[in-house]
Amino acid sequence: MKIAEIIQPDDFHLHLRDGIYLKHTVTYSSKYARAIIMPNLKPPITSIEQAKSYRNEILNINPDFNPLMTLYLNQNIKKEELKKFPDIPWLLGIKLYPSGATTHSDYGVKVSELEYFYSYFELMEKYNIPLLVHGEVADYEVDFFEREKVFIENHLIPIREKFPYLKIVLEHVSSKEGVEFVNQYDLTAATVTPQHLLLTRNDLFFGGINPHNFCLPIVKTQHDKEAIAKEVLQGNPKFFAGTDSAPHPKHKKESCCGPAGIFSAPISIELYLQFFDDYGKSFYNNYTDKDLLENKEVINRIENFLSKFGADFYGLEYNKKTISIYKQEFSIPEEYPLGNETVVPMWAGKTLKYTCYIS
Ligand code: NCD
Ligand code: ZN
């Protein structure tokens, strides 16, 4: 049964990888109209030329999907390139990876050398280029669950206050301190992933260690999850969808010292819908509709989160197409093909309540 139709969503944080993975990963995101593509390839994307050729590879696989590209902040970015950003509609921002903080971040910025990049931030402010931030420190001395909080306190607030006109996105917000930071400053927003809305650290350990729930920033406590959920449910425009779908082959995830990254792309819209359904019931307690997603106001909030707030922040037009949401259960597959290997999705084997298709 069709219950609603909304503007086609965008994914404001996506890892597509490259090489033989690309033919699969691009297809997995095809319900989205556009996505911001992360630049953490090996080697990373640090020039407009590289971003353009990566973009063309993606377009060759699906010309109906609009990949919005980013550069990877390090010394290799030529400052002259920054003034070209305003004339390239598909080039949306620069991503800051603190070195050592996550997958393929060895080329990232050492937090002790962040001030070297202040001259970049000044130009980014001038040309209105958003700074997308992986907001975590990677010091052994810092508790793994406090990496985001410590990065915000020691590094992000100084940048935020020194460059008040720089647009900053705290990517994949994961903590209540992250939520507070985003709410406190203008021109500051956050992407929100399905895992940070639906999982806590219990999901990493309950019933035995589960590497498929390991991502960075790591999923945290119930309090952190609730802080993020509240902003999304109440419709705060600073918080919008970005899946951080980050596929790694099954055999690597299931090995010792396996990499961080949760794969959700093909089921991510449905995961967000499930979140609204599961958590909205107690939040929107004045609604009496039998099915929450049949409520027009709830559907409007979902549409804002998936299809409008991100576009508003980046100054993009809304998508022309729509997706139709059906009340139609489906089981998440145990695995998906990934090049010559396979990848295990988030919540493999679980049943979700809604399915959607491009209208
Ligand atoms: C991402 C990846 O695998 O590229 N991993 C992750 O856990 N999120 C990198 C990132 O966004 O941190
Ligand atoms: Zn990511």
Side-chain angles (χ1 to χ4, degrees), residues 9 16 27 51 73 90 107 125 184 196 201 216 224 259 261 321 342 346:
L16 289 178
T27 313
L73 184 65
W90 50 260
Y107 301 88
E125 208 172 29
Q184 196 182 336
H196 294 106
R201 60 192 186 184
L216 288 168
D224 295 296
K321 288 188 187 163
T342 63
M346 180 174 157

Side-chain angles (χ1 to χ4, degrees), residues 169-189:
V169 185
L170 178 61
E171 296 295 334
H172 36 52
V173 62
S174 70
S175 63
K176 69 177 188 323
E177 291 84 1
V179 169
E180 283 160 14
F181 166 77
V182 170
N183 277 330
Q184 196 182 336
Y185 294 95
D186 289 341
L187 296 180
T188 307

Side-chain angles (χ1 to χ4, degrees), residues 13-17 38 40-41 95 97 101-105 134 136 171-172 193 195-196 214-218 243-248 253 259-262:
H13 183 130
L14 177 64
H15 299 269
L16 289 178
R17 315 302 188 203
M38 290 297 137
N40 62 331
L41 303 183
K95 178 78 189 277
Y97 286 99
T102 189
T103 309
H104 301 172
S105 64
H134 185 111
E136 290 194 294
E171 296 295 334
H172 36 52
T193 73
Q195 60 266 27
H196 294 106
F214 175 51
C215 68
L216 288 168
I218 200 157
T243 63
D244 193 22
S245 177
H248 292 277
K253 287 289 284 178
I262 293 181

Side-chain angles (χ1 to χ4, degrees), residues 207-250:
I209 194 156
N210 186 342
H212 301 293
N213 289 338
F214 175 51
C215 68
L216 288 168
I218 200 157
V219 293
K220 299 192 167 60
T221 66
Q222 185 67 20
H223 292 303
D224 295 296
K225 186 175 88 166
E226 281 169 7
I228 304 164
K230 181 169 160 245
E231 303 303 322
V232 173
L233 291 169
Q234 73 189 11
N236 184 337
K238 287 168 161 271
F239 295 80
F240 45 82
T243 63
D244 193 22
S245 177
H248 292 277
K250 178 176 186 223

